[in-house]
């Protein structure tokens, strides 16, 4: 809006998923503004998964064919119509309707006595509302931006279920009463917050994969000969980290008049570990080489290790097989972080009386990724759990 009011032209605008969290009604308004920017003589490049935006584009550039190492190619480009006619583009197949995100063909058996009711929910703009939802089902909370979806979950449903010890409801300022909360043993609230604030946080450390890998390396003959412990295979420990970069893999150079720059560590060459640790191998790979593996590669590499393969398979099934085990959490999108949290919960602590709360889990997802997510959510419900998602 600020840019429109200036009336300037010959500007290149680059927008990164501007429809995130928007209702289709709001997306239509946003597209009207973007077209006005274009008509003023500007160019707008948008990174986007939303079908409304793609159909409104003058040209689409489709990158793929898959993610991670399997991506990085132009699979198709042209007008929306040309993309729909392209036989290679998976995006085009979804746009044309040749491929569809299929909804699991299951009719949930909703039991009359297994419902949860919240009365008199208040908070922000919620006006003393009452809701009820079935157990062992997928419940979607939707509405235009700013309508109160997140408030209903964070200030109504979440405290309403949590404040129910031993079957006794505790009064709360955000709601009047709750019935049926005893159907749940626990709540798993999965947000889009990063899985770690430090660059040291990775998918491997967050999911517990790293702990298992360190155990395997510490049990090798080479590690026992050197009297190495599990800490010698952690870049967060002085026992194993490179003494120059302290396990970061890079050094920060401070310049007087410019932002600091990160350069590859001259000693470990970005591998984060010292030479003695790197000399120890497990099935022909040292710890740095394992951290460079994608989840897909790691699943095959650790196939015979039951605990590791279970976590890796779940990450794979949820569509994250392209991520590297040692990839910094700071490079992950909100949708990727949320799916890592979900996969961790599913593989580490499976339940059959849990309430899963998800906040816009399809953020930043392609049609095919949404398909994988739906399959996972359906499995959760089939295991007698309940899923509530804002979407």
């Amino acid at each position: 809006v600020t840019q429109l009011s200036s009336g300037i032209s010959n500007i290149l605008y680059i927008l990164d998923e501007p429809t995130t969290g928007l209702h289709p009604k709001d997306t239509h308004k946003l597209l009207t503004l973007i077209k006005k920017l274009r008509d003023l003589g500007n160019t707008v490049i948008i990174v986007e998964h939303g079908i409304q935006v793609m159909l409104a584009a003058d040209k689409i550039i489709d990158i793929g064919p898959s993610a991670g190492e399997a991506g990085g190619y132009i699979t198709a480009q042209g007008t929306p119509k040309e993309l729909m006619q392209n036989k290679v583009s998976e995006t085009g197949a979804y746009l044309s309707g040749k491929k569809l995100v299929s909804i699991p063909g299951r009719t949930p058996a909703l039991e009359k006595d297994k419902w949860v009711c919240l009365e008199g929910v208040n908070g922000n703009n919620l006006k003393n509302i009452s809701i009820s939802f079935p157990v062992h089902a997928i419940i979607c909370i939707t509405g235009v931006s700013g309508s109160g979806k997140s408030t209903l979950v964070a200030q109504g449903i979440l405290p309403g279920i949590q404040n129910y010890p031993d079957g006794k409801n505790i009064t709360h300022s955000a709601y009047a009463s709750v019935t049926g909360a005893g159907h749940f043993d626990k709540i798993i609230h999965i947000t889009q917050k990063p899985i770690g604030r430090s660059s040291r946080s990775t998918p491997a450390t967050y999911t517990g994969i790293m702990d298992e890998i360190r155990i395997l390396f510490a049990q090798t003959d080479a590690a026992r000969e050197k009297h190495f412990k599990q800490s010698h295979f952690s870049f967060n420990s002085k026992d194993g980290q490179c003494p120059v970069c302290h396990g970061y893999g890079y050094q920060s150079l401070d310049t007087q008049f410019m932002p600091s720059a990160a350069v590859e560590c001259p000693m470990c060459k970005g591998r984060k570990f010292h030479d003695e640790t790197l000399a120890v191998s497990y099935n022909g790979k040292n710890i740095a080489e394992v951290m460079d593996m994608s989840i897909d590669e790691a699943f095959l590499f650790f196939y015979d290790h039951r605990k590791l393969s279970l976590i890796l398979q779940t990450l794979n099934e949820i569509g994250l097989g392209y991520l590297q085990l040692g990839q910094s959490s700071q490079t992950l999108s909100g949708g990727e972080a949320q799916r890592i949290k979900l996969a961790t919960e599913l593989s580490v602590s499976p339940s059959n009386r849990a309430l899963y709360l998800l906040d816009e889990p399809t953020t930043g997802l392609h049609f095919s990724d949404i398909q994988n997510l739906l399959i996972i959510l359906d499995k959760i419900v089939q295991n007698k759990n309940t899923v509530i998602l804002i979407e």
Side-chain angles (χ1 to χ4, degrees):
V1 172
T2 305
Q3 295 297 323
L4 269 176
S5 62
S6 68
I8 58 177
S9 60
N10 297 319
I11 301 293
L12 172 63
Y13 293 96
I14 301 177
L15 311 179
D16 189 6
E17 303 202 36
T19 65
T20 297
L22 294 191
H23 189 271
K25 176 184 176 184
D26 300 312
T27 300
H28 176 72
K29 291 179 179 179
L30 178 68
L31 284 172
T32 301
L33 294 178
I34 290 174
K35 287 177 180 179
K36 285 183 181 178
L37 279 177
R38 175 200 62 188
D39 296 341
L40 282 172
N42 300 297
T43 302
V44 186
I45 295 177
I46 308 173
V47 179
E48 189 55 77
H49 293 284
I51 191 168
Q52 284 179 274
V53 178
M54 284 190 275
L55 291 176
D58 298 306
K59 180 175 181 176
I60 301 176
I61 300 173
D62 187 23
I63 301 179
S66 189
E69 288 295 319
Y73 299 94
I74 301 293
T75 58
Q77 55 182 317
T79 64
K81 187 177 180 180
E82 288 171 338
L83 215 71
M84 292 179 197
Q85 295 170 346
N86 190 292
K87 295 180 180 179
V88 178
S89 170
E90 188 172 13
T91 304
Y94 279 104
L95 286 176
S96 65
K98 293 173 186 174
K99 290 188 75 172
L100 298 171
V101 177
S102 60
I103 300 167
R106 172 189 54 82
T107 302
L110 303 181
E111 302 171 58
K112 291 182 180 180
D113 60 335
K114 291 189 176 181
W115 282 66
V116 179
C117 299
L118 283 89
E119 303 285 342
V121 182
N122 293 287
N124 292 342
N125 61 337
L126 295 182
K127 309 208 170 34
N128 199 35
I129 65 171
S130 300
I131 66 160
S132 60
F133 59 86
V135 177
H136 307 156
I138 297 175
I139 299 96
C140 180
I141 298 175
T142 191
V144 295
S145 303
S147 59
K149 303 184 295 296
S150 297
T151 301
L152 176 58
V153 171
Q155 298 185 27
I157 296 172
L158 185 59
I161 306 299
Q162 285 177 331
N163 295 333
Y164 200 85
D166 302 321
K168 296 179 181 179
N169 187 32
I170 298 175
T171 56
H172 194 280
S173 60
Y175 57 87
S177 66
V178 181
T179 57
H183 293 305
F184 307 117
D185 291 335
K186 64 177 179 178
I187 298 179
I188 300 168
H189 189 201
I190 300 175
T191 67
Q192 291 191 20
K193 292 181 181 178
I195 60 174
R197 297 180 180 178
S198 167
S199 61
R200 292 181 183 271
S201 174
T202 66
T205 56
Y206 183 85
T207 57
I209 291 172
M210 191 67 186
D211 295 333
E212 296 298 318
I213 291 174
R214 285 164 51 203
I215 292 173
L216 292 178
F217 271 91
Q219 291 174 343
T220 60
D221 293 338
R224 287 172 176 168
E225 288 175 10
K226 296 172 182 284
H227 302 290
F228 277 4
K229 301 173 290 185
Q230 294 176 31
S231 59
H232 284 84
F233 301 96
S234 170
F235 52 72
N236 289 321
S237 168
K238 290 183 179 179
D239 292 336
Q241 67 185 206
C242 169
V244 174
C245 65
H246 305 293
Y248 282 100
Y250 63 86
Q251 288 182 299
S252 183
L253 296 180
D254 294 324
T255 53
Q256 191 171 359
F257 302 108
M258 297 172 64
S260 59
V263 295
E264 186 181 82
C265 174
M267 176 169 279
C268 70
K269 305 297 182 185
R271 294 178 294 177
K272 301 182 181 181
F273 298 90
H274 62 59
D275 289 341
E276 285 191 73
T277 292
L278 293 172
V280 178
S281 63
Y282 173 82
N283 285 351
K285 299 282 186 182
N286 64 37
I287 187 69
E289 291 170 331
V290 169
M291 288 296 97
D292 284 340
M293 287 182 179
S294 68
I295 289 169
D296 282 338
E297 293 170 331
F299 174 64
L300 296 176
F301 188 75
F302 294 108
Y303 186 79
D304 293 331
H305 190 284
R306 188 175 181 279
K307 191 171 182 180
L308 272 174
S309 62
L310 175 62
I311 302 174
L312 291 165
Q313 181 179 6
T314 308
L315 288 166
N316 199 340
E317 288 176 349
I318 211 164
L320 295 174
Y322 61 91
L323 293 180
Q324 287 181 309
L325 292 181
Q327 186 172 335
S328 171
S329 64
Q330 294 179 334
T331 65
L332 303 176
S333 69
E336 287 171 332
Q338 192 166 187
R339 283 187 289 166
I340 286 176
K341 294 176 188 178
L342 181 59
T344 304
E345 288 290 345
L346 292 175
S347 56
V348 174
S349 55
S351 176
N352 59 2
R353 280 175 54 88
L355 172 62
Y356 289 81
L357 300 176
L358 285 76
D359 187 7
E360 303 200 34
T362 64
T363 296
L365 300 193
H366 187 265
F367 301 105
S368 55
D369 298 316
I370 295 173
Q371 181 68 75
N372 291 331
L373 179 66
L374 283 176
I375 293 170
I376 292 291
L377 294 181
D378 190 56
K379 284 183 179 179
I380 292 173
V381 172
Q382 287 187 45
N383 289 332
K384 300 298 183 181
N385 298 298
T386 305
V387 176
I388 295 179
L389 47 92
I390 300 171
E391 194 47 82

